[in-house]
Amino acid sequence: MKAVPKVNIEGLYLEDELVDDAFSGVVPFYTASSLTLSNTDQQQDTYELTADNLSAIDEANPETIPAGYTVAIPVPPGLYHPRFDIQGWLIYQAEYAEKLVEAQNAYEQLSKESHASFQKLHEEWQSKPEHERGDEPIYSAPAFTAPERRDPTTFWSEGLSAEAIKELTQKAEQQASETDQLKQRIVDLEVTLTQLMLGSTGK
């Protein structure tokens, strides 16, 4: 199990949730009310769809709106109120999927050309007399290179304004100052108490 962040529909951090280690990506979650239907049979169908495939819910009930998202991407340090760019992530995923298909098609074409070239070379090798052949050609398949992925943590950003952060840090500094003052008062009281105890012992 691992802890991953949950965000609201606007991408603002809500809380952490424990999920299976295999959990990945960005997955919408729904509140109980958003899945309620008037017909009992429809409710059962919706429950079964939820268990099988979250995307099927949207097809069965187009008006269903996610309550938020579970994000299997760690929050970078230094953010006061993290915000995940949901729309940016969805657009990026779609664009990356297109690039991946293009890369796969290019790889398949390259593999065909490479294999055809090897077959021609091998046929030429076989057509020669044995004493002229030399070493048998060895086929070397081209390597597939997937498109480079963007660092997913860059989709996290600060959800608070500069003014809100300033106010928050000022409160934190004030609380820290009050805590220091309280600690100093405790130290002073301990010193006073020790002096009183030593004075009474001396008598």
Side-chain angles (χ1 to χ4, degrees):
M1 301 294 286
K2 62 181 178 181
V4 298
K6 290 177 68 176
V7 300
N8 64 14
I9 196 68
E10 296 176 349
L12 289 172
Y13 173 84
L14 296 174
E15 60 184 357
D16 281 349
E17 180 182 19
L18 284 176
V19 297
D20 189 83
D21 288 333
F23 182 84
S24 63
V26 178
V27 179
F29 64 85
Y30 301 82
T31 59
S33 59
S34 68
L35 299 179
T36 301
L37 298 175
S38 58
N39 185 277
T40 305
D41 294 335
Q42 287 181 320
Q43 289 179 348
Q44 180 64 27
D45 291 343
T46 302
Y47 173 79
E48 292 173 355
L49 288 169
T50 304
D52 293 337
N53 191 336
L54 285 172
S55 63
I57 297 177
D58 296 329
E59 296 175 3
N61 184 10
E63 296 181 358
T64 298
I65 300 175
Y69 298 83
T70 304
V71 182
I73 298 171
V75 179
L79 299 178
Y80 291 91
H81 193 179
R83 177 184 178 276
F84 190 79
D85 184 4
I86 298 294
Q87 291 303 316
W89 170 262
L90 295 176
I91 293 172
Y92 167 74
Q93 287 293 89
E95 291 177 345
Y96 183 84
E98 291 179 1
K99 291 180 180 179
L100 185 59
V101 170
E102 291 175 359
Q104 289 172 336
N105 291 338
Y107 172 73
E108 290 176 2
Q109 182 62 30
L110 179 61
S111 294
K112 290 178 181 178
E113 294 174 356
S114 177
H115 192 266
S117 177
F118 169 76
Q119 281 186 323
K120 182 179 179 180
L121 181 64
H122 196 270
E123 288 172 358
E124 291 176 354
W125 176 82
Q126 283 184 321
S127 65
K128 293 180 180 180
E130 289 188 10
H131 65 279
E132 296 180 6
R133 287 182 180 177
D135 295 334
E136 181 178 2
I138 299 175
Y139 178 67
S140 179
F144 173 72
T145 303
E148 186 176 353
R149 274 193 173 276
R150 172 181 167 182
D151 180 0
T153 61
T154 58
F155 286 94
W156 286 104
S157 62
E158 179 56 65
L160 293 181
S161 64
E163 292 77 10
I165 292 175
K166 183 178 179 180
E167 182 179 351
L168 188 64
T169 53
Q170 287 177 344
K171 288 182 179 179
E173 291 172 357
Q174 182 179 357
Q175 290 176 350
S177 176
E178 292 175 353
T179 301
D180 291 339
Q181 292 176 6
L182 181 59
K183 288 180 179 179
Q184 186 58 48
R185 289 180 61 188
I186 293 173
V187 171
D188 293 341
L189 287 172
E190 289 177 345
V191 171
T192 303
L193 181 60
T194 301
Q195 291 175 343
L196 289 173
M197 291 178 64
L198 291 175
S200 61
T201 303
K203 294 179 181 179

